[in-house]
Amino acid sequence: MIRKGLRTLLLSLPMLVLTGYLLTGGRLPADWPHRAGVLTVFVVFNSFFMLMLHTGKTDRWRAPLFITTALLFAVSFMGTMTEIYARQSGFVDFVFRDSVPMCPVVIPMMLVPTALSKTVIWPGAIAGSYAAIGLMFSIWLGASLALGKGWCGWGCFFGGWDEGFSRLLPRPLLAAPAWLRNLPYAVLILFALLTAVSMMPAYCGLACPFKAATELPAGHFVTDGVLFWVHLLMFAGVTAAIPLLMKRRAQCAFFCPLGALQNCVERVTPFEMRVDNGRCVKCGKCSRECPVMAIDQGDSVTIRSTCVKCGKCADNCPTKALSFGIKGAEHAPDTARLLFLYPAFIFLTGFGGTLCADAIARLILLVSTGRIF
């Protein structure tokens, strides 16, 4: 046990250094609420990373961090937008303008109009602002090349919402039909065409369910009252009710246009989930519990490109037939898992941990002073 603990500590040292730098940029915040936020995130995130290494379980510790990050993202985002716009104009205003932060979900729909018109249609700054277009493209590209569809399992703030709802009930009340797995491609094509015709981010403006979680109240970002209710109903149905009833990440697996693009990017990532069908006893546990329906159970078990590399199948397989792997390399599951965890956790901490720290600081300010900035 002592040897195992020392091994965990040694393997965690690089992550301690990297996450410390990612959270601070080499300099501690000047005010105590933000210092408290950074310290809390540093301790909690690295504790969970150590538990991943020590227990050999991935999803058990990833899921609570992923879901919590999604919840705190909403606090940080709304607080930051309130601060930016209130200081600029004296009131909160989420109307499309040059300083609108880039949302990664619209990336696949921006590609066609950018190629056709040589114009970036998202109404935000390329650089120098909160979540600037250039920065978000760079983060998306780097994370996608390293993790592929793992972007959706380790960094997507929105995915944490439907994952949280999908875990509330002990068993599904509705079965998810297999044809739903192809629906994201239709969503992507539809809104890519609408975006190209209108030269506006159509999915964001018309259907995105997460405005209800990050951009309330009505009349700010979504200026049309009817669209406000559309977004609210989309959140209630696609992000909350369907995941709750099916125990599946419905928005991610069935409706997200970025998810469809990530399925294609999955081909270039070095990591994968592997199945040892010689060990498999065909109990069906993996396919029943996969949150995105990425596992097919037939004469043999196969894993689709829609796998988000959450590790839930490997955690729960009774015969250890599923594990992390590296494409083109001899199978060494423990080494492959460790090599995957480093970039995945760096992405989770660098992309989400900083927002968690900011959200904690804003909550401290709210409790202590009654304001969020």
Side-chain angles (χ1 to χ4, degrees), residues 88 150 157 196 209 239 266 309:
Q88 286 180 351
F157 311 123
T239 306
E266 177 64 22
K309 302 182 182 71

Side-chain angles (χ1 to χ4, degrees), residues 93-139:
D93 178 11
F94 289 122
V95 175
F96 278 126
R97 59 180 65 192
D98 289 344
S99 54
V100 172
M102 173 64 184
C103 175
V105 174
V106 302
I107 285 175
M109 291 161 288
M110 291 172 64
L111 299 178
V112 173
T114 300
L116 292 176
S117 65
K118 311 300 181 186
T119 301
V120 176
I121 62 167
W122 185 263
I126 298 296
S129 68
Y130 177 73
I133 295 171
L135 174 63
M136 293 304 298
F137 258 95
S138 299
I139 292 173

